[in-house]
Amino acid sequence: MPIFTNSTGWILATRSTAYALGLNDAGALTHCYWGPRLPDLADYPPPPSPGGWSSFNLPAQLTPEEFPGYTGNTFIEPCLKVTFADGVRNVVLGYVGATILPGPVPTLAITLEDGFYPLRVTLLYRLYEAYDLLERAVRIENLGTEPMLIERIWSALWHLPQDGRYRLRHMVGRHLDEAILRHEPLSEGVKRLESRRLASSHHHSPWFAVDRDPAIDLGQGADEGTGEVWFGALAWSGNWQIAAEVTDFGSTRIGLGLNDWDFAWRLGAGETFTTPVSYAGYTAAGFGAMSRCWHTFIREVILPGARQVQKVFYNSWEATHFDVDEASQIDLAAIAASLGVELFVLDDGWFAGRNDDTAALGDWRPDPHKFPHGLTPLIRRVHELGMAFGLWIEPEMVSPKSELYRTHPDWVLHFPTRARTESRHQLILNLARPDVQDHLIAQFDRLLTEQSIDFIKWDMNRNVSEPGWPAAPGEPREVWVRYIEGVYRVWGTLRERHPHVVWQNCSGGGGRVDLGLMRLADQFQLSDNIDPTRFLAMQEGFSQIFPANTMHAWVADLPASHLSLRFRFHVSMCGILGLGGHLAQWTPEERDEAAALIAQYKTIRTLVQFGALYRLRSPQRHAFAAVLYVAPDRSEAVLFAFRTHLPAQTRLPPLRLQGLDPQRHYTIEGQPEVRSGAAWMHLGLHLHLDDFASCVVQIRQV
Ligand code: DGJ
């Protein structure tokens, strides 16, 4: 059992890391340790009981509390803020007891209660020992007879070792330009990242990585292969917040949870509220090890279809946009099948009245002009061609020009006295409402029951405005959370009823990529940007946490581009390969080349989708970039290298491989020698690539 107790508290040990907490002399539940697993239980420090500093800074302010309520004069970012029925806004939590629940995922539940008000808080810690990850969540109960209002409740506060100097790595971006990495020093104050968009968003992402600057202020720290990194994420697809705080006394902590902006939750008598979960981990082996830790965990624990190989797909959106019909789609399907595509996806434009983006969302039946016999003939043909059939839907949205909106104008998020702001000519259905959820479940359940659909692309093409819920039965500001719970319920129910369907998560590309939806969706669309050099950069950003078998990137048409088809394919082959070009307009030579590249992908995709990823050179920082995927048993690997533009006469640096067995010997395609893994990793190999060229190189143990 990896949860140990000692005289003051608990040590939660995973395979190679440990996290300790306990009760200090003042009885406060205090963080003690987070880092490498130590040999003896006695090695872990006791809970700190700091003295005060002056009358302006009392001991409580210097104590690294595990889950501080808003109280006293601590002035730090609290995890919990509640207003009681009498108007008191002050939470004083005291330790009551703890329970350890054994099992495959052992759990420690620590109960805290307010000394005066009937409020119980349970901190839940679950240990994924083999994955070196810890999960935290919080349950809060109203034990009294009067309601209370929760105004902030975070899932976790993750404390870093005292007095370190840290840098925060996170992701920024926007629609068409997702997943740009930032890395910045943390200093006194609060660095806040958040979403207020009702989706986790293209702009920031609910995860963090923090590395330690070993030489204070030199700006050095971890890199891909070395250095200490603490990392975490929130499994939530709506408004979230990360607050990276460095206190005036040098304590660094990262709080994360639901965004408290415009949030309130009325907790009635006897009611319970449980937060989304936060996962976190530690490694001493740099950002690469961090990512591989996430990848294994996501593949084996989070993803619903673990170890399912993702098919090579064709999606006709970039080729035909809304201009779809039975004949043209069958033509495209036939070409796709001849190239070796395994999944054909019909995107937007297939449903009644959908000729552009101004109408029809909500009316989910085939357009009678485009598909006079419904979708059945197309689906049958796609299956006859040996491919699976996929369909695009956008369940959460409604067009004002639709039957659904005419029947239920009150079903959208809105304030009755305000105009309803449209975005892409659409409004958002209020999925906080159970009747709206039931309607969507019934609609799509029928579609999936009546049609032989193997794959669904679930899109979401706008963010929120006027987040009103006029007929809310209780506190309308609960809408932020109830909406996302509604999405999870609709998606989860459909998934349960149609277990053979593979689900793709898309929100104008990568606008809602998070661990919450990853429990329901098998893969996500990286971006609406179709430029492969941007895909490359985004793959690096998203791969910080998400594995290659979740990342789809398609090869689209780039008419005036200097990028070859081969380069474009190679980029998409770094994840789930897909095609999005107008295949009917491709030349016979292009189709032959595409067929050969698809065949090549099929021989390496298990390695790509399930191998250990090593980012050898960053495309966000270098014009010569490379990634390597190594088989779990290290018997083979595949290397991708890309050169964009570098001055002529540039000598490319050697690519030093990683992750091979130093003792075993390997051959590398295109290299005459057989060498030890140690040699390939220390000396590397020289590649010769021209501008805008790429290569895929197979590596095999001899
Ligand atoms: C946005 C998606 O990202 C695109 O791939 C496409 O599905 C369009 N929506 C369709 O409206």
Side-chain angles (χ1 to χ4, degrees):
M1 163 74 96
I3 301 181
F4 303 97
T5 46
N6 60 16
S7 59
T8 50
W10 304 268
I11 294 145
L12 314 178
T14 65
R15 209 180 35 183
S16 52
T17 75
Y19 183 98
L21 68 167
L23 299 170
N24 74 2
D25 294 343
L29 183 66
T30 307
H31 178 76
C32 307
Y33 178 84
W34 187 19
R37 185 170 178 164
L38 303 174
D40 303 317
L41 290 184
D43 290 335
Y44 295 98
S49 294
W53 175 264
S54 73
S55 62
F56 291 92
N57 302 292
L58 300 180
Q61 201 177 328
L62 280 67
T63 304
E65 271 189 79
E66 191 68 9
F67 196 77
Y70 171 58
T71 190
N73 63 347
T74 53
F75 307 114
I76 44 99
E77 286 282 336
C79 293
L80 180 65
K81 185 167 183 294
V82 173
T83 297
F84 296 104
D86 59 4
V88 167
R89 311 182 306 281
N90 188 291
V91 177
V92 182
L93 295 175
Y95 174 74
V96 174
T99 322
I100 296 174
L101 306 166
V105 186
T107 303
L108 168 67
I110 298 181
T111 305
L112 310 171
E113 282 181 7
D114 189 280
F116 185 86
Y117 293 95
L119 168 68
R120 175 181 295 158
V121 173
T122 307
L123 308 184
L124 299 161
Y125 298 81
R126 306 183 77 213
L127 235 71
Y128 291 91
E129 191 184 359
Y131 299 95
D132 276 335
L133 281 173
L134 191 59
E135 174 191 304
R136 284 179 69 177
V138 177
R139 192 170 62 227
I140 170 168
E141 291 167 77
N142 180 346
L143 305 173
T145 53
E146 293 193 283
M148 48 184 81
L149 201 67
I150 309 172
E151 290 165 353
R152 171 184 286 186
I153 181 160
W154 281 352
S155 301
L157 185 63
W158 298 103
H159 288 271
L160 298 162
Q162 179 73 21
D163 292 328
R165 304 288 287 193
Y166 298 96
R167 299 185 305 175
L168 176 69
R169 177 178 279 204
H170 60 103
M171 225 160 62
V172 303
R174 53 203 73 84
H175 179 224
L176 295 166
D177 196 15
E178 295 90 338
I180 302 161
L181 289 170
R182 292 278 184 261
H183 205 165
E184 57 191 88
L186 290 172
S187 67
E188 286 74 1
V190 181
K191 165 84 186 179
R192 209 176 294 279
L193 303 169
E194 63 170 4
S195 168
R196 300 179 181 188
R197 291 170 175 264
L198 192 65
S200 41
S201 97
H202 299 87
H203 296 253
H204 298 284
S205 195
W207 61 263
F208 68 87
V210 169
D211 65 326
R212 176 146 54 180
D213 189 344
I216 291 185
D217 284 342
L218 280 186
Q220 297 168 343
D223 56 25
E224 279 293 302
T226 57
E228 293 190 280
V229 183
W230 292 260
F231 50 92
L234 185 73
W236 187 245
S237 312
N239 289 6
W240 57 270
Q241 184 177 73
I242 288 180
E245 178 172 26
V246 182
T247 70
D248 307 327
F249 291 87
S251 164
T252 303
R253 61 274 298 272
I254 317 282
L256 78 176
L258 298 170
N259 199 341
D260 54 358
W261 179 83
D262 196 38
F263 164 80
W265 190 278
R266 182 181 181 276
L267 196 66
E271 286 178 356
T272 299
F273 179 86
T274 305
T275 67
V277 305
S278 167
Y279 301 100
Y282 162 84
T283 175
F287 293 106
M290 167 195 80
S291 297
R292 290 186 291 279
C293 173
W294 280 126
H295 296 172
T296 314
F297 180 67
I298 289 172
R299 283 184 187 123
E300 294 179 10
V301 180
I302 301 274
L303 280 177
R307 290 221 64 86
Q308 179 173 315
V309 174
Q310 297 298 320
K311 293 184 159 63
V312 177
F313 68 90
Y314 173 71
N315 179 311
S316 58
W317 170 251
E318 290 292 332
T320 51
H321 278 197
F322 299 97
D323 193 12
V324 293
D325 63 23
E326 190 182 303
S328 68
Q329 294 300 303
I330 286 181
D331 285 351
L332 286 168
I335 304 173
S338 73
L339 303 183
V341 166
E342 300 159 307
L343 161 69
F344 177 87
V345 184
L346 171 60
D347 208 279
D348 200 348
W350 61 269
F351 44 100
R354 186 70 166 172
N355 298 316
D356 53 30
D357 64 10
T358 62
L361 290 170
D363 300 341
W364 300 107
R365 51 179 195 284
D367 184 276
H369 305 291
K370 299 175 181 179
F371 297 95
H373 313 289
L375 293 177
T376 311
L378 171 63
I379 298 178
R380 195 182 306 127
R381 186 69 197 123
V382 166
H383 285 159
E384 281 165 8
L385 287 164
M387 295 184 293
F389 178 80
L391 190 67
W392 178 96
I393 58 175
E394 194 176 3
E396 297 152 82
M397 299 293 153
V398 65
S399 307
K401 276 195 220 158
S402 67
E403 254 177 67
L404 180 66
Y405 189 70
R406 281 191 287 278
T407 323
H408 294 290
D410 52 325
W411 273 10
V412 297
L413 292 171
H414 70 285
F415 292 118
T417 56
R418 299 288 179 204
R420 303 172 182 200
T421 307
E422 292 176 24
S423 189
R424 209 193 189 207
H425 311 284
Q426 60 198 54
L427 297 168
I428 305 180
L429 290 171
N430 182 358
L431 267 79
R433 293 175 58 136
D435 53 353
V436 173
Q437 296 166 20
D438 291 343
H439 168 80
L440 293 176
I441 290 171
Q443 288 282 304
F444 293 106
D445 185 33
R446 188 173 325 122
L447 184 71
L448 290 170
T449 305
E450 287 174 357
Q451 299 291 346
S452 183
I453 295 170
D454 311 291
F455 176 99
I456 288 283
K457 170 175 174 180
W458 179 313
D459 207 345
M460 185 216 192
N461 281 303
R462 62 160 293 181
N463 289 143
V464 72
S465 59
E466 299 92 31
W469 179 3
E475 166 57 58
R477 284 171 294 176
E478 291 174 14
V479 70
W480 299 110
V481 172
R482 292 198 186 272
Y483 178 97
I484 299 300
E485 285 175 344
V487 172
Y488 292 161
R489 177 174 168 243
V490 174
W491 201 320
T493 309
L494 293 172
R495 207 181 158 115
E496 213 175 280
R497 291 192 192 166
H498 303 278
H500 68 284
V501 174
V502 172
W503 298 79
Q504 182 182 79
N505 163 21
C506 176
S507 173
R512 196 164 56 175
V513 184
D514 53 71
L515 291 179
L517 270 188
M518 206 139 278
R519 291 185 292 224
L520 295 165
D522 305 85
Q523 52 169 270
F524 64 92
Q525 180 173 320
L526 278 188
S527 182
D528 276 350
N529 191 323
I530 53 167
D531 188 310
T533 56
R534 287 296 302 129
F535 275 155
L536 259 186
M538 289 184 223
Q539 282 165 340
E540 180 187 4
F542 283 121
S543 77
Q544 298 298 306
I545 159 161
F546 303 110
N549 64 322
T550 61
M551 277 190 239
H552 127 245
W554 54 29
V555 179
D557 292 329
L558 289 177
S561 173
H562 40 271
L563 295 173
S564 65
L565 194 66
R566 182 180 146 89
F567 187 104
R568 289 186 269 146
F569 262 84
H570 285 170
V571 172
S572 295
M573 285 161 74
C574 289
I576 304 167
L577 173 63
L579 275 63
H582 204 312
L583 301 181
Q585 294 167 7
W586 286 18
T587 63
E589 294 72 29
E590 285 172 328
R591 289 193 206 168
D592 286 350
E593 192 177 0
L597 287 159
I598 290 173
Q600 185 188 16
Y601 177 70
K602 288 179 183 168
T603 67
I604 56 172
R605 75 167 147 199
T606 310
L607 259 179
V608 171
Q609 294 189 15
F610 299 102
L613 170 73
Y614 292 85
R615 292 176 293 249
L616 303 186
R617 286 180 62 86
S618 156
Q620 296 201 8
R621 284 185 291 136
H622 305 295
F624 172 48
V627 284
L628 179 73
Y629 302 85
V630 180
D633 66 0
R634 299 198 279 177
S635 62
E636 56 174 337
V638 60
L639 169 73
F640 289 79
F642 303 90
R643 169 171 167 165
T644 52
H645 173 63
L646 284 168
Q649 319 303 340
T650 303
R651 191 175 139 75
L652 300 180
L655 280 178
R656 296 169 64 195
L657 304 186
Q658 294 175 31
L660 304 180
D661 183 333
Q663 305 303 327
R664 292 188 234 170
H665 287 78
Y666 296 88
T667 55
I668 299 189
E669 223 179 335
Q671 308 285 320
E673 340 60 351
V674 171
R675 282 184 167 166
S676 65
W680 290 123
M681 293 194 288
H682 291 287
L683 302 170
L685 68 145
H686 285 277
L687 291 177
H688 302 284
L689 286 179
D690 294 331
D691 260 9
F692 301 108
S694 57
C695 63
V696 180
V697 178
Q698 282 185 261
I699 298 164
R700 289 208 178 82
Q701 185 189 333
V702 289

